[in-house]
Amino acid sequence: MDSASQLLLLHPTSVILPYGHSFENFTLNLYDMLSIKTTALQPVSAPHGSMAPILIPLMIVVSIIVYYCQEWMEFNVDKVPLGPTSLPFIGNVLQLKSKALHLSLTDMAAKFGNVFSMKLGRQRVVVLNDAQTVKTAYNGPNFTNRPSVFSIEFFVSKGFMACQKKHDFRIHTKLMKHAFQAVTYTSLGDKLVEEAMDLINQFDSYNGDAFNPREDLNLVSLNILHNIAFGKRYQKGDTELHEIFDYSSRIMKGVSPVHPVNLIPWLQRYPNPWMKDLSDARDKRDNMLLRFYEEHKETYVEGEIRDMVDALIKVEQDAEEAGDMETLRLLSPLHIITNIWTIFFAGTDTIHNALLWVLLYMAVFPEVQRKVQEEIDRVIGDRTPCLEDEQTLPYLCATFYETLRFSCLSLLGVPHAAVCDTTLNGYHIPAGTQVLANFWAINHDETTWDNPSEFRPERFLNDNGQLRNMKDFPHFMPFSTGRRACLGKNIGKSGIIVLSACLLQKLNIAVPTGEGAKQPTLEPEVHFDLVPKQYDIVVTRRDSMRS
Ligand code: HEM
């Protein structure tokens, strides 16, 4: 989620971090807020004989007592999931290691149980730490909402992401699935190969010197998603690409839960620089995407679906012919571009992040890379890889799954919210409470995985080297589960597998060697997702190695 979230993604006043939003920034911002509040509370020299010197400390003490009585009631009377004692204003933020959020949450689960709660700022958030509980919650009807956050709704109010009405959400989902299917059956494979070939040429240009692949992979993932969504791809330096980067990064900052407009609600109603910046970014995005939409309308040819915009124009025309006003209501140009942009935003960062992990693991685990290449040579040979090859490359598929499990790039998924007052594992969860799944704990659970701290694609294969049935891994859900599970799962999987096949057919990836070479670490950086720390690799042509 979230570019979105990091998807975008997307989340609230309080406390959901958007995809890609650094957790470190989040905690720092809370400290800043706190220092502002404490400064604001400094008594300004009280007049002689005033009661202020006694009253203010007394009020503070009473507030603190009331705060802890409320917390005691929540745990012992309301029976919300147990959790660590919090501090007023900042909640449990100080107990979370910003550099190892996944470990902090897992430690808390060991202490308070697989369903625990904590406070982020003033909001109580419930964290689910085992596969069965996540399935119970996410596969049922009571946790299908997303938390409500002003700035997220500001950007996606016309789309499925912020939709809280069951009926409308169902229509949105049907439309989105339609858009995805249309793209999967058109030229997805060709688009992936085109990106892979450009990337190989780009890597060639480094002539075997060490380099950081982050920017190149960013462009590749943006191009894949933009091409699927709007039928356009870019070269480094294109003006339109800069505009996209510009408004996307402003939107990313804007959807942060600690953005001033989320923290101080009256800012949402009066003109101020923060609201102006949000409006400006939204206008730039909408103007560009509405232009793309109009261009598509003018050049649309019945029966030829070039991308998601065409797919939804077709549904729109079909609905017009059938007089289906119910569907048309959610197919205005603004609905169409908002939904497609959300998918673009959600997919770009996750693909980027997944590719970064794949390249890192290939460099650090050369034996795995060798096995992947041996399979590609045997099955594909010199032919250009295509979408259908996914079925015949079990070792590469297993490596993809192991990459998702081991890196746990989607650490907490996208936050859910309770639709109504409900219960989970005997605990009371009030309506609107945010719920997070700790996928790191699930992917590294020693009771379900054999030696989870080892990177071993073979765990997904049977004795004949074929992919095991995914039913053997009911605890593995890298794309989450239930009605809000990842919509781009197939594109994500095919995208990474086809790109990896193209790259590893032609290239060897290694860690830099020699004096002063920077060695990569497998430790992640905690954004909302888990992202590899900056690293360098060395890439050489396989054919040049053979000759
Ligand atoms: C390896 C790549 C990917 C992984 C690991 C991944 C994982 C996830 C996860 C864990 C969620 C949260 C689901 C939940 O809230 O329960 C999610 C949501 C989502 N993902 Fe992905 N994702 C990937 C790629 C993509 C791509 C390529 C796209 C778009 C083409 C995409 C679009 C979305 C959307 C739109 C949502 C929000 C769905 C909703 O709110 O109903 N994802 N993804």
Side-chain angles (χ1 to χ4, degrees), residues 391-432:
Q391 315 304 326
T392 53
L393 298 170
Y395 194 83
L396 179 55
C397 274
T399 304
F400 168 69
Y401 287 139
E402 183 66 344
T403 299
L404 295 187
R405 183 199 70 80
F406 193 72
S407 68
C408 195
L409 58 97
S410 195
L411 170 60
L412 299 167
V414 180
H416 286 225
V419 174
C420 52
D421 281 359
T422 183
T423 53
L424 184 64
N425 290 12
Y427 290 112
H428 171 66
I429 318 270

Coordinates of all heavy atoms in Angstrom, one line a residue, residues 391-432:
Q391 N 5.7 -20.5 -15.1 CA 5.2 -21.8 -14.7 C 6.3 -22.8 -14.8 O 6.2 -23.9 -14.2 CB 4.1 -22.3 -15.7 CG 3.0 -21.3 -16.1 CD 2.3 -20.8 -14.8 OE1 2.2 -21.5 -13.9 NE2 2.0 -19.5 -14.8
T392 N 7.4 -22.5 -15.5 CA 8.4 -23.6 -15.7 C 9.7 -23.3 -15.0 O 10.7 -23.9 -15.3 CB 8.7 -23.7 -17.2 OG1 9.0 -22.4 -17.7 CG2 7.5 -24.3 -18.0
L393 N 9.7 -22.3 -14.1 CA 10.9 -21.9 -13.4 C 10.7 -22.0 -11.9 O 10.6 -21.0 -11.1 CB 11.3 -20.5 -13.7 CG 11.6 -20.2 -15.2 CD1 11.8 -18.7 -15.5 CD2 13.0 -20.9 -15.6
P394 N 10.5 -23.3 -11.4 CA 10.2 -23.4 -10.0 C 11.2 -22.9 -9.0 O 10.9 -22.3 -8.0 CB 10.0 -24.9 -9.8 CG 10.6 -25.6 -11.0 CD 10.6 -24.6 -12.1
Y395 N 12.5 -23.0 -9.4 CA 13.5 -22.5 -8.4 C 13.5 -21.0 -8.4 O 13.6 -20.4 -7.3 CB 14.9 -23.0 -8.9 CG 15.9 -22.8 -7.7 CD1 16.0 -23.7 -6.7 CD2 16.7 -21.6 -7.6 CE1 16.9 -23.5 -5.6 CE2 17.5 -21.4 -6.6 CZ 17.6 -22.3 -5.6 OH 18.5 -22.1 -4.5
L396 N 13.2 -20.3 -9.5 CA 13.1 -18.9 -9.5 C 11.9 -18.4 -8.7 O 12.0 -17.5 -7.9 CB 13.1 -18.3 -10.9 CG 13.0 -16.8 -11.0 CD1 14.1 -16.0 -10.3 CD2 13.0 -16.3 -12.5
C397 N 10.8 -19.2 -8.9 CA 9.6 -18.8 -8.1 C 9.8 -19.0 -6.6 O 9.4 -18.2 -5.8 CB 8.4 -19.8 -8.5 SG 7.5 -19.2 -9.9
A398 N 10.5 -20.1 -6.3 CA 10.8 -20.4 -4.9 C 11.7 -19.2 -4.3 O 11.5 -18.8 -3.2 CB 11.5 -21.7 -4.7
T399 N 12.6 -18.8 -5.2 CA 13.5 -17.7 -4.7 C 12.7 -16.4 -4.5 O 13.0 -15.6 -3.5 CB 14.6 -17.4 -5.8 OG1 15.3 -18.7 -6.0 CG2 15.6 -16.4 -5.3
F400 N 11.7 -16.2 -5.3 CA 10.9 -15.0 -5.2 C 10.1 -15.1 -3.8 O 10.1 -14.2 -3.0 CB 9.9 -14.9 -6.4 CG 8.8 -13.9 -6.2 CD1 9.0 -12.6 -6.2 CD2 7.5 -14.4 -6.0 CE1 8.0 -11.6 -6.0 CE2 6.4 -13.5 -5.8 CZ 6.7 -12.1 -5.8
Y401 N 9.5 -16.3 -3.6 CA 8.8 -16.4 -2.3 C 9.7 -16.3 -1.1 O 9.3 -15.6 -0.1 CB 8.1 -17.8 -2.2 CG 6.9 -17.9 -3.1 CD1 6.7 -19.1 -3.9 CD2 6.0 -16.9 -3.3 CE1 5.6 -19.2 -4.7 CE2 4.9 -17.0 -4.1 CZ 4.7 -18.2 -4.8 OH 3.6 -18.3 -5.6
E402 N 10.9 -16.9 -1.2 CA 11.8 -16.8 -0.1 C 12.3 -15.3 0.1 O 12.5 -14.9 1.3 CB 13.0 -17.7 -0.3 CG 14.0 -17.8 0.8 CD 13.5 -18.4 2.1 OE1 12.3 -18.5 2.3 OE2 14.3 -18.8 3.0
T403 N 12.4 -14.6 -1.0 CA 12.7 -13.1 -0.9 C 11.6 -12.4 -0.1 O 11.9 -11.6 0.8 CB 12.9 -12.5 -2.3 OG1 14.0 -13.2 -2.9 CG2 13.2 -11.0 -2.2
L404 N 10.4 -12.7 -0.4 CA 9.3 -12.0 0.3 C 9.2 -12.4 1.8 O 9.0 -11.6 2.7 CB 7.9 -12.3 -0.4 CG 7.7 -11.8 -1.8 CD1 6.3 -12.1 -2.2 CD2 8.0 -10.4 -1.9
R405 N 9.5 -13.7 2.0 CA 9.4 -14.2 3.4 C 10.6 -13.6 4.2 O 10.4 -13.1 5.3 CB 9.5 -15.8 3.5 CG 9.3 -16.3 4.9 CD 9.8 -17.7 5.0 NE 11.3 -17.9 4.9 CZ 12.2 -17.6 5.9 NH1 11.7 -17.2 7.1 NH2 13.5 -17.7 5.7
F406 N 11.8 -13.8 3.7 CA 13.0 -13.5 4.5 C 13.1 -12.0 4.7 O 13.4 -11.5 5.8 CB 14.2 -14.0 3.7 CG 15.5 -14.0 4.5 CD1 15.7 -14.9 5.5 CD2 16.5 -13.1 4.2 CE1 16.9 -15.0 6.2 CE2 17.7 -13.2 4.9 CZ 17.9 -14.1 5.9
S407 N 12.8 -11.2 3.6 CA 13.0 -9.7 3.8 C 11.8 -9.1 4.5 O 11.9 -8.2 5.2 CB 13.0 -9.0 2.4 OG 11.8 -9.1 1.7
C408 N 10.6 -9.8 4.3 CA 9.4 -9.3 4.9 C 9.2 -7.8 4.5 O 9.0 -7.0 5.3 CB 9.3 -9.5 6.4 SG 7.6 -9.3 6.9
L409 N 9.4 -7.6 3.2 CA 9.4 -6.2 2.8 C 8.1 -5.4 3.1 O 8.1 -4.2 3.4 CB 9.7 -6.1 1.3 CG 8.8 -6.8 0.3 CD1 7.8 -5.8 -0.3 CD2 9.6 -7.3 -0.9
S410 N 7.0 -6.2 3.1 CA 5.7 -5.5 3.5 C 5.5 -5.8 5.0 O 4.6 -6.6 5.4 CB 4.6 -6.1 2.7 OG 3.5 -5.2 2.8
L411 N 6.3 -5.2 5.8 CA 6.3 -5.5 7.3 C 5.0 -5.5 7.9 O 4.6 -6.5 8.6 CB 7.2 -4.5 8.0 CG 7.2 -4.5 9.5 CD1 7.7 -5.8 10.0 CD2 8.1 -3.3 10.0
L412 N 4.2 -4.5 7.8 CA 2.9 -4.4 8.5 C 1.7 -4.4 7.5 O 0.6 -4.1 7.9 CB 2.8 -3.1 9.4 CG 3.9 -3.1 10.5 CD1 4.0 -1.7 11.1 CD2 3.6 -4.1 11.5
G413 N 2.0 -4.6 6.3 CA 0.9 -4.5 5.3 C 0.4 -3.1 5.2 O 1.1 -2.2 5.4
V414 N -0.9 -3.0 5.0 CA -1.5 -1.7 5.0 C -2.5 -1.7 6.2 O -3.2 -2.7 6.4 CB -2.3 -1.4 3.7 CG1 -3.0 0.0 3.7 CG2 -1.4 -1.5 2.5
P415 N -2.5 -0.7 7.0 CA -3.4 -0.7 8.2 C -4.9 -1.0 7.9 O -5.4 -0.5 6.9 CB -3.2 0.6 8.8 CG -1.9 1.1 8.3 CD -1.8 0.6 7.0
H416 N -5.5 -1.8 8.7 CA -7.0 -2.0 8.6 C -7.6 -1.2 9.8 O -6.9 -0.7 10.6 CB -7.3 -3.5 8.8 CG -6.9 -4.3 7.6 ND1 -7.8 -5.3 7.1 CD2 -5.8 -4.4 6.8 CE1 -7.2 -5.9 6.1 NE2 -6.0 -5.4 5.9
A417 N -9.0 -1.1 9.7 CA -9.7 -0.5 10.8 C -10.9 -1.3 11.1 O -11.5 -1.9 10.2 CB -10.0 0.9 10.5
A418 N -11.3 -1.4 12.4 CA -12.5 -2.2 12.8 C -13.7 -1.4 12.2 O -13.9 -0.2 12.4 CB -12.6 -2.3 14.3
V419 N -14.6 -2.2 11.5 CA -15.8 -1.6 10.9 C -16.8 -1.2 12.0 O -17.6 -0.3 11.9 CB -16.4 -2.6 10.0 CG1 -17.7 -2.2 9.4 CG2 -15.4 -3.0 8.9
C420 N -16.8 -2.0 13.1 CA -17.8 -1.8 14.2 C -17.2 -2.3 15.5 O -16.1 -2.9 15.5 CB -19.1 -2.7 13.9 SG -18.6 -4.4 13.6
D421 N -17.9 -2.1 16.6 CA -17.4 -2.7 17.9 C -17.4 -4.2 17.7 O -18.4 -4.8 17.2 CB -18.3 -2.3 19.0 CG -18.1 -0.9 19.5 OD1 -17.2 -0.2 19.0 OD2 -18.8 -0.5 20.4
T422 N -16.2 -4.8 18.0 CA -16.2 -6.3 17.7 C -15.3 -7.0 18.7 O -14.7 -6.3 19.6 CB -15.7 -6.5 16.3 OG1 -15.8 -7.9 16.0 CG2 -14.4 -6.0 16.0
T423 N -15.1 -8.3 18.6 CA -14.2 -9.0 19.5 C -13.2 -9.8 18.6 O -13.6 -10.2 17.5 CB -14.9 -9.9 20.5 OG1 -15.7 -10.8 19.7 CG2 -15.7 -9.2 21.5
L424 N -12.0 -10.0 19.2 CA -11.0 -10.8 18.5 C -10.3 -11.6 19.6 O -9.7 -11.0 20.5 CB -10.1 -10.0 17.6 CG -9.1 -10.7 16.8 CD1 -9.7 -11.6 15.7 CD2 -8.1 -9.7 16.1
N425 N -10.2 -12.9 19.4 CA -9.6 -13.8 20.5 C -10.0 -13.4 21.9 O -9.2 -13.3 22.8 CB -8.0 -13.7 20.4 CG -7.5 -14.3 19.1 OD1 -8.3 -14.6 18.2 ND2 -6.2 -14.5 19.0
G426 N -11.3 -13.0 22.0 CA -11.8 -12.7 23.4 C -11.6 -11.2 23.8 O -12.0 -10.8 24.8
Y427 N -10.8 -10.5 23.0 CA -10.6 -9.1 23.3 C -11.6 -8.2 22.7 O -12.1 -8.5 21.6 CB -9.2 -8.6 22.9 CG -8.1 -9.2 23.6 CD1 -7.2 -10.1 23.0 CD2 -7.9 -8.9 25.0 CE1 -6.2 -10.7 23.7 CE2 -6.8 -9.4 25.7 CZ -6.0 -10.3 25.0 OH -4.9 -10.9 25.7
H428 N -11.9 -7.0 23.3 CA -12.8 -6.1 22.7 C -12.1 -5.1 21.8 O -11.0 -4.6 22.2 CB -13.5 -5.3 23.9 CG -14.3 -4.1 23.4 ND1 -15.5 -4.3 22.7 CD2 -14.1 -2.8 23.6 CE1 -16.0 -3.1 22.4 NE2 -15.2 -2.2 22.9
I429 N -12.6 -4.9 20.6 CA -11.9 -3.9 19.7 C -13.0 -2.9 19.3 O -13.9 -3.2 18.6 CB -11.4 -4.6 18.4 CG1 -10.7 -6.0 18.7 CG2 -10.5 -3.7 17.6 CD1 -9.3 -6.0 18.9
P430 N -12.8 -1.7 19.8 CA -13.8 -0.7 19.4 C -13.8 -0.3 18.0 O -12.8 -0.4 17.3 CB -13.4 0.6 20.3 CG -12.5 0.0 21.3 CD -11.8 -1.2 20.7
A431 N -15.0 0.1 17.4 CA -15.1 0.5 16.0 C -14.0 1.6 15.7 O -13.8 2.5 16.5 CB -16.5 1.1 15.8
G432 N -13.4 1.5 14.6 CA -12.5 2.5 14.1 C -11.0 2.2 14.6 O -10.1 2.9 14.1

